[in-house]
Amino acid sequence: MDIKDLASRIRAQERRALARAITLVESGRADHRAAAAELLAALPQEGQALRIGLSGTPGVGKSTFIESFGMMLTGMGKRVAVLAVDPSSSRSGGSILGDKTRMDQLSRDPNAFIRPSPSQTHLGGVARRTREAVRLCEAAGFDVVLIETVGVGQSETVVAEMSDLFVLLLAPAGGDELQGVKRGIMEVADVILINKADGELKAAATRTCADYAGALRLLRKRPQDPAGYPCAMTVSALEENGLDQAWRALEDLADWRRENGFWDRTRAAQARYWFLEDVKQRLLAQLSEAETQARLTALSDAVAAGKQDPSAAAQDFVDGMRRSVS
């Protein structure tokens, strides 16, 4: 693989080259990881794309919202990339990857790029290499990168460590005000959108929006938020109502953070976070080596036979790892 040629084609906004590069960075093979590192080093370190993380439980209408929202943005002349993460089976390891099928119109838009990826049992609602895929999309000249999480609930906060803005999508009648005070995902949300505010659900969506707006006022004020944020709004992805207001709210928040220094500070903190995460993953990868596996098996057998205490065996293993490193 010619990495320099691939990098130049990505900068030239070739969609096939971008797709091939994302496949490369998602691979776990040692030679592919080395090639991926070389590719990322050959591309600009920081892009100016607006990274928007989007989460919500299954059935809330994430795909419909992303398609309507993405079509609105491409209609403004913006180039939009969608990185959709699908849950992987804990048994077979496979994923359906049906997001592109559900976004039929957006997938045919020349100014849009949709890439579904398996979570590969990685926790936090995103795939392990999603941040690297974001970098590739920025290098390919996309203006907005939408990162759709798996959609399993309150634990999906890792996406906030790779996005500039975090949108939480909720359904009407999704809980009263006290339900909205739940910590975790509520604390990292910048904008809460109550979807499906149309037809018979419109009144319920309005009430839910009021409940969450009240709940947000009870949360501790964050330094990176101007007055009025985080905020709750109603939208209808089906009827395409409220999407322009939601975009203006996101743009205003991004502009304020840029002007007040929070934009660069947050991206620097995110880079530090992912450096430490990569170090942890590389250390964990050493556990899969044959010699390490043999030591683990021997110690675990000794613990199972009652010959050694679990804590003492764990300490012996760690001490052995330190000696091998030194």
Side-chain angles (χ1 to χ4, degrees):
M1 183 182 296
D2 190 337
I3 297 300
K4 289 184 179 179
D5 177 63
L6 184 60
S8 65
R9 287 166 55 200
I10 290 172
R11 289 194 296 268
Q13 302 181 358
E14 288 189 25
R15 299 162 66 90
R16 183 171 293 183
L18 175 58
R20 187 180 181 190
I22 293 177
T23 299
L24 178 66
V25 301
E26 288 180 343
S27 174
R29 277 177 40 174
D31 57 333
H32 287 177
R33 291 305 309 147
E38 184 183 349
L39 173 63
L40 292 169
L43 294 171
Q45 288 298 310
E46 287 293 339
Q48 294 303 311
L50 180 61
R51 309 169 184 171
I52 302 176
L54 190 139
S55 185
T57 54
V60 77
K62 292 194 299 295
S63 296
T64 306
F65 171 80
I66 289 175
E67 178 165 59
S68 298
F69 192 65
M71 292 296 293
M72 180 191 72
L73 294 178
T74 57
M76 297 177 180
K78 298 186 181 297
R79 300 184 71 236
V80 180
V82 179
L83 300 175
V85 182
D86 237 25
S88 296
S89 169
S90 58
R91 293 185 177 181
S92 66
S95 295
I96 297 175
L97 302 179
D99 298 270
K100 198 167 185 177
T101 305
R102 290 194 293 267
M103 304 177 200
D104 181 52
Q105 281 185 295
L106 189 61
S107 64
R108 288 183 278 128
D109 193 311
N111 286 323
F113 174 83
I114 303 175
R115 172 67 181 221
S117 298
S119 66
Q120 297 177 330
T121 69
H122 184 67
L123 298 179
V126 293
R128 182 177 170 185
R129 300 297 175 185
T130 300
R131 183 178 181 273
E132 294 176 355
V134 170
R135 282 226 14 229
L136 293 172
C137 291
E138 288 184 327
F142 285 94
D143 303 304
V144 180
V145 181
L146 297 173
I147 310 163
E148 180 194 358
T149 70
V150 169
V152 293
Q154 295 282 343
S155 65
E156 300 202 351
T157 56
V158 176
V159 69
E161 298 293 346
M162 63 177 70
S163 56
D164 302 311
L165 304 172
F166 183 35
V167 176
L168 178 59
L169 209 61
L170 298 174
D176 56 17
E177 186 171 346
L178 292 177
Q179 181 80 1
V181 177
K182 278 188 175 179
R183 297 298 189 258
I185 202 167
M186 286 289 296
E187 289 185 319
V188 297
D190 295 310
V191 175
I192 295 177
L193 300 178
I194 316 300
N195 194 24
K196 303 184 179 182
D198 48 57
E200 296 179 355
L201 292 175
K202 189 170 185 178
T206 303
R207 289 194 301 270
T208 302
C209 182
D211 287 341
Y212 277 94
L216 289 172
R217 287 194 289 269
L218 299 177
L219 295 178
R220 183 177 297 176
K221 183 70 175 176
R222 303 179 307 184
Q224 70 268 31
D225 293 330
Y229 288 88
C231 61
M233 309 172 67
T234 59
V235 296
S236 169
L238 187 64
E239 296 182 352
E240 301 180 3
N241 292 329
L243 300 180
D244 52 345
Q245 292 95 325
W247 172 242
R248 281 199 299 271
L250 292 170
E251 272 195 313
D252 290 345
L253 179 56
D255 290 342
W256 186 89
R257 287 181 176 173
R258 285 191 187 98
E259 293 167 4
N260 290 273
F262 290 103
W263 182 276
D264 293 333
R265 217 175 306 167
T266 299
R267 287 208 169 184
Q270 289 175 348
R272 186 188 300 273
Y273 171 87
W274 288 107
F275 159 70
L276 295 174
E277 282 298 307
D278 204 33
V279 169
K280 293 176 186 176
Q281 292 297 329
R282 290 173 187 269
L283 290 174
L284 287 173
Q286 293 182 11
L287 298 179
S288 301
E289 297 176 0
E291 184 179 345
T292 306
Q293 282 290 314
R295 292 180 55 234
L296 275 174
T297 301
L299 287 170
S300 64
D301 289 345
V303 170
K307 297 178 180 178
Q308 198 167 0
D309 180 75
S311 297
Q315 188 61 53
D316 287 348
F317 176 76
V318 172
D319 291 342
M321 289 285 288
R322 286 174 178 165
R323 285 193 296 270
S324 64
V325 171
S326 60

